[in-house]
Amino acid sequence: MSSCSIANAIRILSADAVEKAKSGHPGMPMGMAEIGSILWSKHLKHNPSNPKFVNRDRFILSNGHGSMLLYSLLHLTGYNVTIDDLKNFRQFGSKTPGHPEYGYTDGVETTTGPLGQGLANAVGMAIAEKTLANEFNRPGHDIVDHHTYVFVGDGCLMEGISHEVCSLAGTMGLGKLIVLYDDNGISIDGEIEGWFNENVAKRFEAYNWQVLGAIDGHDMVQIDQAIASAKREHNRPSIIICKTKIGKGSPNKAGLEESHGSPLGEAELKLVRKELNWPHQAFHVPEEIYQEADCKKSGARLENEWNSQFAVYNTQYPDLADEFIRRINHELPKNFEQVINDGLKLANDKKETIATRKASLNSIEFFAKHLPELFGGSADLTGSNLTRWSSAVTSNAENNFTGKYISYGVREFGMSAILNGIYLHGGFRPFGGTFLMFSEYARNALRMASLMQIAPIFVYTHDSIGLGEDGPTHQAVEQTATLRLIPNMNTWRPCDTVETLAAWGHALSLANTPSCLIFSRQNLKFIERDDATIQNIAKGGYILSSNSKNPQVVIIATGSEVELAMNAYECLCASGKQVQLVSMPSTSVFDIQDLAYKQQVIPKNTKVIAIEAGVTGLWHKYVGIDGLVIGLDRFGESAPAKDLFNHFGFTTEKVLTKINQFLG
């Protein structure tokens, strides 16, 4: 696949698909065609007949707007991407959406489009590869041995996340991470000199990367040699700076922003065909090019070689082999449901009144004994987030990735996107922590996890005005509510040690849904429950206490406000009212329960009250337009937590006053 005819096939297919869709980005695929063809034919370990081949190299198109480059490569090399799929580019239900989407198309390793995040995912994949290799490889048996390749453009390197993750990758010495930079000097607004004129080579040298180039990104020999040089470097990630011309092959639009994000137009496409000496009609590729490009035979040979190697490994290390397959497929131990139940019993028996961030650490300690795939970390807040369990080893270049904990530094967005990459690679169940307020920095990575239907765990502590003296810059008010709005995201705000263990167990049980676990800084009172009530925690919302089968009033609360709600409940019961107390640690999980259960928890024709130290809008979904929400629709203040709760009305006396006024 070294002939320029393959590169031209990529150019024409990309331009034809964009033209037919009347939208898209032809410029990058046309500019990176040679780079793609050389990488995929001479260096990338992959098997089109089995896109999930365990020891494949990972290829990430971080500049995902150029998706037709990837779709063309998948089609030409033999993946299940047909010419009709290319014709349906950007159409409803097609396997070729506008940006690559994980789960839609064979060979797409991650969803890309928000620039820089594919690069961050790739860093996570490289971390996973190196850690998994250290854990499972044995002398003479390198069953984990592959590279992670990333295509990036100017936009990826402008995004702040690229600084976060590339700095970390250099520090960690990720030698099997290879980035090919499409240095074409053009973005949507035109020539980038006015807004991006930094010395990229010097920047990456400062990150402790190997910098290769600039090379001619259209010279196949130079590309081949540069990739080979990158593969020989084992102690540093590599970036290959490739000077290219955006829209190469277009006589009037090459090198210009006009080819970046718009169809070339029928007239220009005719000129492209003439320029490239391509006489064929739209979407027609000569059979000899297909034969030259096809990678199915070489891919099958690679996988068969690995299968033979793994069979020997399995003979010598059968337990390790079984564990490797279980983990690479994200399969939980068969007894995991019982493990959760044991953990719940343990938490319930201890009856500890502690901060839920400490309860979270206890949960991590417990699950780490049963899940060797647990992979933790924190964005420079380990001592505050309490995410590092007692036997955890912090992984780094010096100890050759012998640990399963990473100090990410102050890189919340980068950490979160790296977690996505670690999960996508397989072999680990990653989580990472920071303050709840800084979920704002990470928001798009959370959204991408939900969109991809993967299950990393995002740990957030210091969950409200209860954070105290650090003040409103650090006090989360609206964050919990907005996290609950992300589709396919489970957000938990537990009230004590038992709910915390249940939240962790639920999050670890999932394979297709990420979770946000939100914990308090301050101590929260342990709450007594019977076994049936404990089992209902996993339903997201449940009856914590009730003095009537037909309550007149329902009080709902979460987190630190459950204790407050319980105090109010007891006072109302003492005054003769029929009351039901509901703890709702996860609205998203409660919402998917059947209607009968939900109406049991929140019966019809009752007056409903919700209490949470945050914004109130979401709670009207449960209390109704005429219900009462006791919350906080403003920012906090700098003061001790006790003073803040008193000032903002979160005391038993003040809550009861509001409830009694509401009930009349």
Side-chain angles (χ1 to χ4, degrees), residues 99 138 141 194 218 246 264 272 340 345 406 432 533 627 655:
H99 293 83
R138 292 295 182 270
H141 299 282
H218 304 297
I246 191 170
L264 298 178
V272 171
I340 295 174
K345 184 177 186 305
I406 293 181
T533 303
V655 164

Side-chain angles (χ1 to χ4, degrees), residues 321-496:
D322 288 346
E323 179 70 0
F324 177 77
I325 293 300
R326 177 186 76 79
R327 284 174 47 181
I328 206 72
N329 291 326
H330 287 304
E331 296 173 357
L332 288 165
K334 292 180 180 179
N335 67 334
F336 192 67
E337 186 175 345
Q338 183 59 48
V339 167
I340 295 174
N341 288 331
D342 291 345
L344 288 168
K345 184 177 186 305
L346 184 65
N348 193 51
D349 290 345
K350 284 187 174 181
K351 305 184 187 309
E352 292 180 297
T353 291
I354 54 178
T356 49
R357 61 173 174 156
K358 179 62 169 68
S360 171
L361 176 58
N362 292 346
S363 299
I364 296 168
E365 289 276 6
F366 174 77
F367 284 115
K369 297 173 184 176
H370 301 276
L371 293 176
E373 60 263 48
L374 207 60
F375 195 112
S378 176
D380 202 50
L381 288 168
T382 294
S384 295
N385 298 150
L386 303 183
T387 44
R388 192 178 189 275
W389 61 105
S390 57
S391 63
V393 174
T394 300
S395 199
N396 52 49
E398 284 69 30
N399 66 18
N400 195 31
F401 288 69
T402 54
K404 294 174 187 173
Y405 190 90
I406 293 181
S407 292
Y408 287 97
V410 187
R411 300 181 176 100
E412 296 89 354
F413 189 10
M415 174 186 71
S416 303
I418 286 171
L419 295 179
N420 291 346
I422 293 172
Y423 189 92
L424 286 163
H425 179 277
F428 298 103
R429 291 191 172 252
F431 67 89
T434 186
F435 285 176
L436 176 57
M437 175 55 63
F438 305 136
S439 65
E440 297 289 351
Y441 287 140
R443 186 61 58 103
N444 202 258
L446 273 60
R447 185 177 188 272
M448 295 294 280
S450 297
L451 180 63
M452 288 190 280
Q453 299 182 38
I454 58 176
I457 299 172
F458 306 100
V459 176
Y460 297 121
T461 67
H462 298 62
D463 68 344
S464 69
I465 56 173
L467 179 145
E469 292 87 342
D470 278 340
T473 59
H474 285 53
Q475 292 166 2
V477 174
E478 74 275 24
Q479 283 65 38
T480 300
T482 57
L483 290 173
R484 289 170 176 151
L485 294 174
I486 301 174
N488 191 45
M489 173 68 76
N490 284 343
T491 299
W492 289 82
R493 187 174 183 246
C495 73
D496 70 351

Side-chain angles (χ1 to χ4, degrees), residues 129-369:
E129 189 276 340
K130 197 162 187 176
T131 307
L132 206 64
N134 183 78
E135 185 174 358
F136 284 96
N137 287 355
R138 292 295 182 270
H141 299 282
D142 291 339
I143 62 168
V144 182
D145 181 16
H146 53 263
H147 286 81
T148 303
Y149 294 96
V150 196
F151 282 5
V152 303
D154 295 303
C156 288
L157 299 188
M158 289 184 219
E159 287 284 0
I161 192 173
S162 72
H163 296 265
E164 294 184 25
V165 301
C166 292
S167 170
L168 184 63
T171 301
M172 298 189 78
L174 298 175
K176 288 187 177 178
L177 175 64
I178 299 174
V179 172
L180 294 107
Y181 165 36
D182 181 28
D183 184 9
N184 62 34
I186 295 291
S187 67
I188 291 176
D189 279 357
E191 296 182 7
I192 63 174
E193 292 178 353
W195 52 89
F196 188 63
N197 65 355
E198 66 193 46
N199 189 322
V200 171
K202 293 295 185 184
R203 169 183 161 187
F204 276 82
E205 286 174 5
Y207 289 154
N208 191 39
W209 284 54
Q210 175 182 221
V211 178
L212 299 168
I215 67 168
D216 181 348
H218 304 297
D219 185 315
M220 292 186 167
V221 173
Q222 289 188 39
I223 297 165
D224 183 24
Q225 292 174 346
I227 296 173
S229 295
K231 290 164 68 176
R232 289 193 294 268
E233 172 58 61
H234 302 297
N235 299 316
R236 295 177 295 168
S238 297
I239 183 169
I240 304 171
I241 301 174
C242 305
K243 289 288 185 181
T244 63
K245 180 174 284 190
I246 191 170
K248 181 174 172 59
S250 173
N252 298 306
K253 296 187 178 182
L256 301 174
E257 65 270 21
E258 283 87 350
S259 68
H260 182 280
S262 301
L264 298 178
E266 292 183 10
E268 187 68 13
L269 253 179
K270 290 180 180 178
L271 296 176
V272 171
R273 281 180 154 76
K274 183 177 181 181
E275 177 78 11
L276 300 180
N277 191 26
W278 190 272
H280 315 292
Q281 63 184 6
F283 296 103
H284 176 77
V285 177
E287 183 58 32
E288 59 268 24
I289 293 180
Y290 279 122
Q291 292 177 4
E292 185 181 356
D294 191 281
C295 291
K296 290 195 292 292
K297 288 183 179 178
S298 60
R301 183 175 64 252
L302 279 169
E303 183 166 6
N304 287 336
E305 290 172 357
W306 185 86
N307 287 338
S308 298
Q309 181 186 12
F310 190 76
V312 177
Y313 179 88
N314 187 35
T315 299
Q316 297 187 19
Y317 308 101
D319 292 341
L320 274 178
D322 288 346
E323 179 70 0
F324 177 77
I325 293 300
R326 177 186 76 79
R327 284 174 47 181
I328 206 72
N329 291 326
H330 287 304
E331 296 173 357
L332 288 165
K334 292 180 180 179
N335 67 334
F336 192 67
E337 186 175 345
Q338 183 59 48
V339 167
I340 295 174
N341 288 331
D342 291 345
L344 288 168
K345 184 177 186 305
L346 184 65
N348 193 51
D349 290 345
K350 284 187 174 181
K351 305 184 187 309
E352 292 180 297
T353 291
I354 54 178
T356 49
R357 61 173 174 156
K358 179 62 169 68
S360 171
L361 176 58
N362 292 346
S363 299
I364 296 168
E365 289 276 6
F366 174 77
F367 284 115
K369 297 173 184 176

